């Protein structure tokens, strides 16, 4: 009955759907209130999600004049990164895990993981809540001259205020850089990310050291 109701509503709205001001809301609001409503097809939603992430798509049929631009920030939890090639982070099939929470509702877009200085390839399975992404990535140096790579989720994951989630990255590849002297919390644009130990096996990653160089959030 619910599916039929949405189909009926869409047939009534017809092409008027393309004047709806979807970009006048945040991406988190779009995911909560529109994505699951059944009003839009998958083909219509993909370019909308891409635009929220700053990717232009010719398939986008909605006007952008009323969009509230989101703020995409990288929360780096380390003030120092280990560069000693004799003291690097290894991978043996155990996932690196880290808990964290935020003081405001935001969207998690992905993470930056450490790699090595040799532009090596890493195979990664990244999981958080119900989301999971698997792929191969090449280590490259960023603007801080630290090698690594971004692992982006297929769709943003909404993080509720003070909700504790576990980041899990199972990696295959050569030994890599890692972070040390990590901060227990980082604040940007009024959003505070707080880090904690994972109760599960974590390959040594903790709030003080290990993987997860940056947390990429849409705030």
């Amino acid at each position: 009955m619910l599916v039929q109701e949405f189909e009926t509503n869409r047939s009534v709205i017809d092409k008027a759907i393309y004047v709806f001001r979807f970009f006048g809301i945040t991406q988190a609001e779009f995911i909560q209130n529109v994505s699951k409503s059944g009003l839009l097809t998958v083909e219509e939603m993909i370019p909308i999600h891409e635009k929220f992430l700053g990717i232009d798509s010719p398939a986008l049929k909605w006007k952008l004049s009323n969009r509230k631009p989101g703020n995409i920030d990288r929360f780096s939890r380390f003030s120092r990164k280990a560069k000693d090639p004799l003291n690097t982070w290894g991978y043996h099939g155990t996932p690196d895990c880290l808990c964290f929470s935020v003081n405001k509702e935001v969207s998690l877009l992905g993470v930056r993981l450490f790699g090595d200085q040799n532009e090596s390839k890493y195979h990664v399975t990244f999981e958080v809540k119900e989301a999971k992404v698997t792929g191969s990535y090449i280590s490259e140096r960023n603007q801080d001259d630290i090698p690594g790579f971004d692992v982006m989720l297929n769709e943003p994951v909404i993080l509720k205020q003070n909700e504790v989630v576990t980041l899990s990255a199972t990696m295959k590849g050569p030994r890599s850089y890692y972070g040390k002297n990590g901060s227990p919390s980082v604040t940007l644009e009024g959003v505070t990310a707080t880090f904690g130990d994972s109760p599960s096996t974590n390959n040594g990653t903790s709030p003080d050291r290990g993987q997860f160089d940056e947390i990429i959030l849409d705030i």
Side-chain angles (χ1 to χ4, degrees):
M1 291 296 293
L2 188 59
V3 173
Q4 291 177 346
E5 180 180 341
F6 284 133
E7 290 177 347
T8 300
N9 289 340
R10 179 58 189 268
S11 66
V12 172
I13 296 171
D14 196 24
K15 293 183 179 179
I17 192 76
Y18 299 122
V19 300
F20 281 25
R21 299 177 179 178
F22 292 132
F23 294 107
I25 61 177
T26 66
Q27 186 174 23
E29 291 169 333
F30 180 83
I31 294 171
Q32 283 184 317
N33 302 311
V34 182
S35 291
K36 300 177 182 179
S37 70
L39 282 175
L40 302 179
T41 66
V42 173
E43 290 75 16
E44 289 172 330
M45 286 191 291
I46 289 175
I48 293 177
H49 283 297
E50 289 177 337
K51 191 61 184 179
F52 273 119
L53 295 175
I55 302 171
D56 292 323
S57 170
L60 184 67
K61 299 179 180 180
W62 280 266
K63 297 180 180 180
L64 308 178
S65 57
N66 294 295
R67 181 183 179 186
K68 295 178 181 177
N71 293 320
I72 298 177
D73 281 301
R74 292 173 175 264
F75 287 66
S76 178
R77 63 195 195 94
F78 296 112
S79 58
R80 295 175 57 195
K81 280 84 172 179
K83 296 185 178 181
D84 184 354
L86 299 178
N87 188 22
T88 52
W89 210 252
Y91 308 101
H92 312 284
T94 301
D96 284 87
C97 296
L98 180 73
C99 289
F100 90 107
S101 62
V102 287
N103 65 331
K104 297 180 180 180
E105 182 173 301
V106 299
S107 293
L108 174 66
L109 304 181
V111 296
R112 181 170 179 82
L113 298 174
F114 290 105
D116 69 3
Q117 68 272 26
N118 299 319
E119 298 185 350
S120 297
K121 179 184 290 188
Y122 292 83
H123 184 78
V124 180
T125 297
F126 173 55
E127 299 177 77
V128 56
K129 297 180 73 171
E130 292 80 23
K132 180 178 180 179
V133 61
T134 298
S136 295
Y137 304 85
I138 301 298
S139 177
E140 297 178 335
R141 293 181 182 273
N142 62 8
Q143 66 274 14
D144 296 322
D145 201 35
I146 301 299
F149 48 89
D150 292 347
V151 179
M152 306 302 290
L153 295 165
N154 294 324
E155 289 191 4
V157 171
I158 295 176
L159 305 178
K160 301 289 187 181
Q161 181 180 13
N162 298 325
E163 175 188 15
V164 178
V165 299
T166 300
L167 305 172
S168 173
T170 304
M171 299 176 59
K172 294 180 181 179
R175 299 177 72 86
S176 73
Y177 283 30
Y178 70 96
K180 59 184 180 181
N181 298 336
S183 299
S185 64
V186 178
T187 300
L188 287 175
E189 303 288 342
V191 175
T192 299
T194 301
F195 305 101
D197 288 304
S198 168
S200 58
T201 305
N202 55 26
N203 195 40
T205 286
S206 70
D208 182 65
R209 66 201 300 265
Q211 264 293 356
F212 300 108
D213 182 15
E214 297 173 339
I215 313 299
I216 306 171
L217 300 178
D218 183 351
I219 62 175

